[in-house]
Amino acid sequence: MSVDEGPSAAQRRAPTLEAVAELAGVSRATVSRVVNDSERVSPEAREAVTAAITALGYVPNRAARSLVTRRTDTIALIAHERPDTVFADPFFASVLRGANQALSLTQLQLVLLQVQGDQQRDRALRYVGNGHVDGVLLLSLHGDDTLATSVSKAGVPLVMAGRLLTGEVVDSVDADNVGGAGLAVRHLVATGRRRLATIAGPLDMSVGVDRLRGYTEAVLEAGLPDAATRIAAGDFTEAGGRAAAARLLAEHPTLDALFAASDLMALGALRALRAAGRRVPEEVAVIGFDDAAPAAYTDPPLTTIRQPVERLGQEMVRLLLRRIGDGPGEPVAVVLPTELVVRSSA
């Protein structure tokens, strides 16, 4: 009686390039060109090779393919922030979700590098510079940090979220932060508020600078110069927003509106106002920025400026892939629109 011992060793082996070539009736070189997306293949040969790959379940050897194409099929998303900020702020999750969506129809993999401090920064730069990735998406750069410049000098394509405060121009995708802050101020003024104040984002980041600029320009245009002096610094966290709102209330007890440069800071402001016995929106109106998921569920629901964060991640990937394919060129700056979302807080 024979015993079924299962597939032989030969059957268990992964299909080879040669096997694909034999089944497709073409040369090994033709299969290699198809796998490496070469244009030097006839449509008929490409179709035969593709059918053979599907039939055999052939998976290209990524290491060998990398030697031919000089590509790793990997891009890095570098978040230059503290771990608690990266994993607690809905902004980062939304950008990551958008980037993954844009990559879903490609063969590229995404790796996340969280960077805080010089040691992690240098390690990330070595990883990128040593040829482990085809390109870099860079988030949350602070001050005059030269990470973007260093990546570019290493010859690695780069796309930033936001702009560099140093004035250097690189490929970037950003929301209309100045215009969005102006929308918030004009809504508050239109609803009768006159004693406005703002909780600004970090001023070592372009997003913080631009949202404060939008606020300041709008209150001056509305003829409210005192509002341009009612500013408390925040850090895009709930705790920072709560502390900043408490300072503003202590210094300006009659204020009747708050514009916070992020939804998390607006959430902190709502809690500070509640602790101070101030009713929202009857006594103080509050507007945030982002339209993060929690904004619709605050008490009261938060009026905010919506920026298309997932689309930002998608556009960053699309711009990076175009740069990887086309090579160096004039920097491109993409600015996405923002819009006012009115809820009960203002």
Side-chain angles (χ1 to χ4, degrees):
M1 181 177 66
S2 65
V3 177
D4 184 359
E5 296 180 350
S8 67
Q11 289 173 317
R12 288 195 299 267
R13 284 198 296 267
T16 64
L17 204 69
E18 289 77 8
V20 174
E22 181 178 356
L23 181 60
V26 299
S27 69
R28 185 184 189 281
T30 298
V31 176
S32 179
R33 284 194 287 271
V34 172
V35 168
N36 292 306
D37 298 325
S38 171
E39 296 180 357
R40 296 186 298 119
V41 183
S42 70
E44 295 79 10
R46 186 180 299 277
E47 184 178 351
V49 170
T50 301
I53 286 173
T54 301
L56 294 174
Y58 172 73
V59 178
N61 184 308
R62 293 176 65 87
R65 185 175 186 273
S66 176
L67 290 174
V68 174
T69 64
R70 297 176 183 262
R71 299 273 178 84
T72 66
D73 286 346
T74 301
I75 64 174
L77 189 152
I78 302 179
H80 201 231
E81 276 292 353
R82 304 189 311 264
D84 58 332
T85 300
V86 172
F87 294 109
D89 192 328
F91 171 83
F92 293 98
S94 294
V95 171
L96 188 60
R97 188 159 52 246
N100 272 319
Q101 288 172 353
L103 289 170
S104 63
L105 298 178
T106 75
Q107 298 298 314
L108 276 74
Q109 304 296 318
L110 183 68
V111 296
L112 174 64
L113 303 178
Q114 184 274 320
V115 175
Q116 181 187 15
D118 291 342
Q119 184 176 1
Q120 290 184 351
R121 177 188 176 282
D122 292 344
R123 186 170 61 200
L125 186 57
R126 285 196 302 272
Y127 179 81
V128 167
N130 286 338
H132 294 291
V133 300
D134 296 328
V136 170
L137 306 172
L138 183 56
L139 302 178
S140 203
L141 211 60
H142 291 259
D144 58 358
D145 192 299
T146 60
L147 182 58
T149 305
S150 299
V151 170
S152 296
K153 285 182 177 178
V156 181
L158 165 82
V159 175
M160 276 193 59
R163 59 184 177 83
L164 288 169
L165 288 178
T166 60
E168 184 180 358
V169 181
V170 298
D171 287 334
S172 64
V173 181
D174 203 359
D176 182 8
N177 295 299
V178 174
L183 287 174
V185 169
R186 286 190 286 277
H187 177 73
L188 291 169
V189 172
T191 56
R193 311 292 172 158
R194 292 294 180 269
R195 298 182 298 278
L196 280 66
T198 186
I199 303 173
L203 298 183
D204 63 348
M205 300 175 67
S206 65
V207 63
V209 170
D210 290 346
R211 291 177 190 177
L212 179 58
R213 175 187 155 200
Y215 167 84
T216 303
E217 290 178 353
V219 294
L220 292 176
E221 288 172 4
L224 303 172
D226 288 347
T229 67
R230 300 189 192 108
I231 302 168
D235 60 0
F236 286 151
T237 69
E238 181 183 335
R242 184 169 186 169
R247 291 196 301 273
L248 286 169
L249 287 169
E251 296 169 5
H252 310 286
T254 63
L255 67 83
D256 62 6
L258 267 176
F259 166 60
S262 79
D263 285 348
L264 283 181
M265 293 197 300
L267 177 57
L270 290 174
R271 292 181 173 172
L273 288 163
R274 188 176 299 113
R278 305 292 295 275
R279 293 175 299 153
V280 177
E282 293 83 358
E283 296 177 77
V284 182
V286 178
I287 295 184
F289 201 117
D290 287 331
D291 196 27
Y297 304 103
T298 58
D299 183 20
L302 184 65
T303 295
T304 185
I305 301 300
R306 175 181 294 152
Q307 62 167 332
V309 182
E310 285 192 25
R311 184 181 164 198
L312 186 143
Q314 293 168 354
E315 292 297 330
M316 289 179 71
V317 167
R318 292 189 184 111
L319 182 54
L320 182 62
L321 295 183
R322 191 159 71 243
R323 181 61 73 202
I324 291 170
D326 295 346
E330 286 298 313
V332 176
V334 177
V335 179
L336 303 176
T338 50
E339 61 179 304
L340 176 70
V341 179
V342 178
R343 298 191 180 100
S344 302
S345 70

Coordinates of all heavy atoms in Angstrom, one line a residue, residues 18 24 34 37 42 46 79 89 109 133 136 155 186 215 235 239 244 246 250 254 286 295 326 332:
E18 N 13.2 30.9 -14.6 CA 13.3 30.0 -15.8 C 12.0 29.3 -16.0 O 11.6 29.1 -17.2 CB 14.4 29.0 -15.5 CG 15.8 29.6 -15.6 CD 16.2 30.4 -14.3 OE1 15.5 30.4 -13.3 OE2 17.3 31.0 -14.4
A24 N 5.9 30.7 -20.5 CA 5.5 31.8 -21.4 C 6.0 31.6 -22.8 O 5.6 32.3 -23.7 CB 5.9 33.1 -20.8
V34 N 10.1 42.2 -18.0 CA 8.7 42.4 -17.6 C 8.7 42.6 -16.1 O 8.0 43.6 -15.6 CB 7.8 41.2 -18.0 CG1 6.5 41.3 -17.4 CG2 7.7 41.0 -19.5
D37 N 9.7 46.1 -15.2 CA 8.9 47.2 -15.8 C 9.6 47.8 -16.9 O 9.4 49.1 -17.2 CB 8.5 48.2 -14.7 CG 7.6 47.6 -13.7 OD1 6.8 46.8 -14.0 OD2 7.7 48.0 -12.5
S42 N 7.4 43.5 -26.0 CA 6.2 43.6 -26.8 C 4.9 43.4 -26.0 O 5.0 42.6 -25.0 CB 6.2 42.6 -28.0 OG 6.1 41.3 -27.5
R46 N 4.6 40.5 -23.0 CA 4.3 41.0 -21.6 C 3.0 40.2 -21.1 O 3.0 39.8 -20.0 CB 4.0 42.5 -21.6 CG 3.8 43.0 -20.2 CD 3.6 44.6 -20.2 NE 4.7 45.3 -20.8 CZ 5.8 45.6 -20.1 NH1 5.9 45.3 -18.8 NH2 6.8 46.2 -20.7
A79 N 8.7 61.1 11.0 CA 8.0 62.1 11.9 C 9.0 62.6 12.9 O 9.4 61.8 13.8 CB 6.8 61.4 12.5
D89 N -1.8 62.3 18.4 CA -2.4 63.3 17.6 C -3.0 62.7 16.4 O -2.3 62.0 15.6 CB -1.3 64.3 17.2 CG -1.9 65.6 16.6 OD1 -2.9 65.5 16.0 OD2 -1.3 66.7 16.8
Q109 N 6.6 49.7 -0.3 CA 6.3 49.5 1.1 C 6.6 50.8 1.8 O 7.5 51.6 1.4 CB 7.2 48.4 1.7 CG 7.1 47.1 1.0 CD 5.7 46.5 1.1 OE1 5.1 46.5 2.2 NE2 5.2 45.9 0.1
V133 N 16.0 53.3 1.1 CA 14.7 53.8 0.7 C 14.9 54.5 -0.6 O 15.9 55.0 -1.0 CB 14.0 54.7 1.7 CG1 13.8 53.9 3.0 CG2 14.8 55.9 2.0
V136 N 11.6 59.9 0.7 CA 11.3 60.2 2.1 C 10.1 61.2 2.1 O 10.0 62.2 1.4 CB 12.5 60.9 2.8 CG1 12.0 61.5 4.2 CG2 13.6 59.9 3.0
G155 N 21.0 62.8 -2.0 CA 20.4 62.4 -3.3 C 19.2 61.6 -3.2 O 18.8 60.9 -4.2
R186 N -13.1 85.4 10.7 CA -14.3 86.1 10.1 C -15.6 85.5 10.6 O -16.6 86.3 10.7 CB -14.1 86.0 8.5 CG -13.1 86.9 8.0 CD -13.1 87.0 6.5 NE -12.6 85.8 5.9 CZ -11.3 85.6 5.6 NH1 -10.4 86.5 6.0 NH2 -10.9 84.5 5.0
Y215 N -4.6 84.5 11.6 CA -5.4 85.1 12.7 C -5.1 86.6 12.8 O -6.0 87.4 12.9 CB -5.1 84.4 14.0 CG -5.6 85.1 15.3 CD1 -6.9 84.9 15.7 CD2 -4.8 86.0 16.0 CE1 -7.4 85.6 16.8 CE2 -5.3 86.6 17.1 CZ -6.6 86.5 17.5 OH -7.1 87.1 18.6
D235 N 1.2 74.0 22.2 CA 2.1 73.0 21.6 C 1.4 71.9 20.8 O 1.9 70.8 20.6 CB 3.0 72.4 22.7 CG 2.1 71.7 23.8 OD1 0.9 71.7 23.6 OD2 2.7 71.1 24.7
A239 N -3.2 69.2 26.7 CA -2.7 69.8 28.0 C -2.2 71.2 27.7 O -2.4 72.2 28.5 CB -1.6 69.0 28.6
A244 N -2.8 77.1 28.1 CA -2.8 78.4 27.4 C -4.2 79.1 27.6 O -4.2 80.3 27.8 CB -2.6 78.2 25.9
A246 N -6.2 78.8 30.1 CA -6.2 79.3 31.5 C -5.5 80.6 31.6 O -5.9 81.6 32.3 CB -5.7 78.3 32.4
A250 N -7.1 84.3 32.6 CA -6.5 85.1 33.7 C -6.1 86.5 33.3 O -6.4 87.5 34.1 CB -5.4 84.4 34.4
T254 N -12.5 89.1 30.1 CA -13.7 89.5 29.4 C -13.7 88.9 27.9 O -14.6 89.3 27.1 CB -13.9 91.0 29.3 OG1 -12.8 91.6 28.6 CG2 -14.0 91.6 30.7
V286 N -15.6 79.1 20.7 CA -14.4 78.4 20.5 C -14.3 77.7 19.1 O -15.3 77.1 18.7 CB -14.1 77.3 21.5 CG1 -12.8 76.5 21.3 CG2 -14.1 77.9 22.9
A295 N -13.5 66.1 17.1 CA -14.1 67.4 17.1 C -15.7 67.3 17.1 O -16.3 68.2 17.7 CB -13.7 68.2 15.8
D326 N 10.8 61.0 -12.2 CA 11.3 62.1 -13.1 C 12.7 62.5 -12.8 O 13.4 63.1 -13.7 CB 10.4 63.3 -13.1 CG 9.0 63.0 -13.7 OD1 8.9 61.9 -14.3 OD2 8.1 63.8 -13.4
V332 N 8.3 71.7 -6.2 CA 6.9 71.9 -6.4 C 6.2 72.1 -5.0 O 6.5 71.3 -4.1 CB 6.2 70.7 -7.1 CG1 4.7 70.8 -7.2 CG2 6.8 70.5 -8.5

